[in-house]
Amino acid sequence: GLDLYLSHANTKDIRIIVSGLKRLEQGDFSVRLGVEFKDERDQIVTTFNNIIPKLKEHLRMSSALGVAEEVQQSLLPNSDPTLGGFEIAGTSLYCEETGGDYYDFIQINEERLAVVVGDVSGHGVSSALLMATARALVMLRASMPGSIASIMNDVNKYLSRDTSHTGNFMTFFYCERQAMSQEIRWVRAGHDPALMYKPDSDEFEELKGKGVSFGLDDTFEYEEYQRRLEADQVILIGTDRIWEMRNERGE
């Protein structure tokens, strides 16, 4: 009699737990276990009840990261451009689901091409949306008359309006080339200087220039820089993770 009663009671409690697990499996995050054992099994119940909100938040974050990743990947070029006198290529590898790195090739006309590289502060959906906004502003403004310094001034002015209350910002490097020309022009907005490799002397030179990141000061006036190129010289425009890489000797 008593053993049978205890067996039925335990079976009922287990059924409650199994029912809760099935509801969770079906996506019901409102489920909570109200059973009490008065022994070590109560730890299982407590853990189950505590982990539900964390699982819900984790899935929400995963969904948000998935949206951000989709937005970011859609912004990146799907092929390398052609421009007379230059060989141009770009790539981006994310070590996480999302990152703030951005690069693009903006074909202003048949003779002019802008290569841009940016890095948005933070991660997730907000960074992806800021990146999309910056891309749209740069592409639109680059299609209009004016110096590349004026392009950067206008983009920064409008982008700062969106970031003034968020604290977000974006570093940017704008480099423009013209077909068969031996000169490049660039503007730097808080981004790491580009590297130029000169094979004839086996030396590196930095393409520097003063300029604050987009979104920090809407009144800042950017400066344009230019330089003459020689045959076989290589220019690398990267983001912060590139400069942190080391070889086996730590160099």
Side-chain angles (χ1 to χ4, degrees):
L2 181 60
D3 289 341
L4 182 61
Y5 171 77
L6 291 175
S7 176
H8 286 169
N10 287 335
T11 300
K12 179 182 178 182
D13 292 337
I14 291 174
R15 286 176 178 173
I16 293 176
I17 295 177
V18 172
S19 175
L21 289 170
K22 287 184 176 180
R23 288 175 59 185
L24 178 61
E25 182 183 16
Q26 295 170 359
D28 183 359
F29 291 99
S30 67
V31 60
R32 297 293 186 275
L33 298 180
V35 64
E36 189 175 3
F37 291 98
K38 301 293 186 181
D39 56 30
E40 292 83 355
R41 288 173 293 179
D42 287 335
Q43 296 181 11
I44 299 176
V45 175
T46 301
T47 301
F48 180 91
N49 290 336
N50 289 341
I51 205 172
I52 301 287
K54 296 179 181 179
L55 282 173
K56 185 177 181 180
E57 177 64 15
H58 177 73
L59 288 176
R60 187 192 70 80
M61 291 281 293
S62 296
S63 176
L65 287 172
V67 172
E69 183 179 15
E70 183 177 343
V71 171
Q72 288 180 329
Q73 293 300 322
S74 68
L75 298 181
L76 300 180
N78 53 23
S79 62
D80 296 324
T82 57
L83 186 68
F86 295 93
E87 294 181 14
I88 304 173
T91 188
S92 179
L93 300 175
Y94 290 122
C95 63
E96 301 174 5
E97 288 90 344
T98 60
D101 300 332
Y102 162 70
Y103 80 95
D104 207 351
F105 306 119
I106 303 175
Q107 194 78 48
I108 300 173
N109 55 45
E110 292 183 359
E111 299 294 319
R112 292 172 57 200
L113 176 76
V115 178
V116 298
V117 177
D119 190 358
V120 181
S121 62
H123 300 275
V125 175
S126 61
S127 294
L129 293 177
L130 180 59
M131 182 186 296
T133 302
R135 177 180 184 266
L137 288 172
V138 171
M139 294 185 70
L140 178 62
R141 183 58 187 84
S143 67
M144 302 177 181
S147 67
I148 62 174
S150 66
I151 293 175
M152 299 287 276
N153 289 338
D154 290 340
V155 172
N156 176 58
K157 182 184 302 182
Y158 286 104
L159 200 65
S160 295
R161 297 176 182 177
D162 293 336
T163 62
S164 59
H165 302 296
T166 66
N168 291 335
F169 60 92
M170 180 179 189
T171 66
F172 208 81
F173 196 102
Y174 183 108
C175 182
E176 189 173 302
R177 299 99 188 274
Q178 188 162 350
M180 308 311 296
S181 171
Q182 291 182 301
E183 282 193 345
I184 60 168
R185 296 180 296 156
W186 74 90
V187 176
R188 178 171 167 252
H191 202 77
D192 291 318
L195 278 182
M196 172 184 285
Y197 175 64
K198 297 180 287 185
D200 55 344
S201 61
D202 193 27
E203 294 177 337
F204 287 92
E205 179 183 331
E206 290 186 336
L207 302 185
K208 300 180 180 180
K210 71 173 186 177
V212 301
S213 302
F214 286 159
L216 298 180
D217 181 3
D218 63 351
T219 64
F220 189 85
E221 296 289 328
Y222 293 94
E223 293 186 27
E224 176 182 323
Y225 301 86
Q226 61 183 27
R227 195 190 189 287
R228 179 183 174 88
L229 292 179
E230 302 297 337
D232 298 326
Q233 289 183 338
V234 180
I235 298 177
L236 171 66
I237 312 173
T239 55
D240 50 1
R241 298 292 177 91
I242 294 291
W243 317 130
E244 294 164 1
M245 295 297 292
R246 297 290 183 270
N247 61 17
E248 294 179 353
R249 297 185 298 275
E251 299 170 332

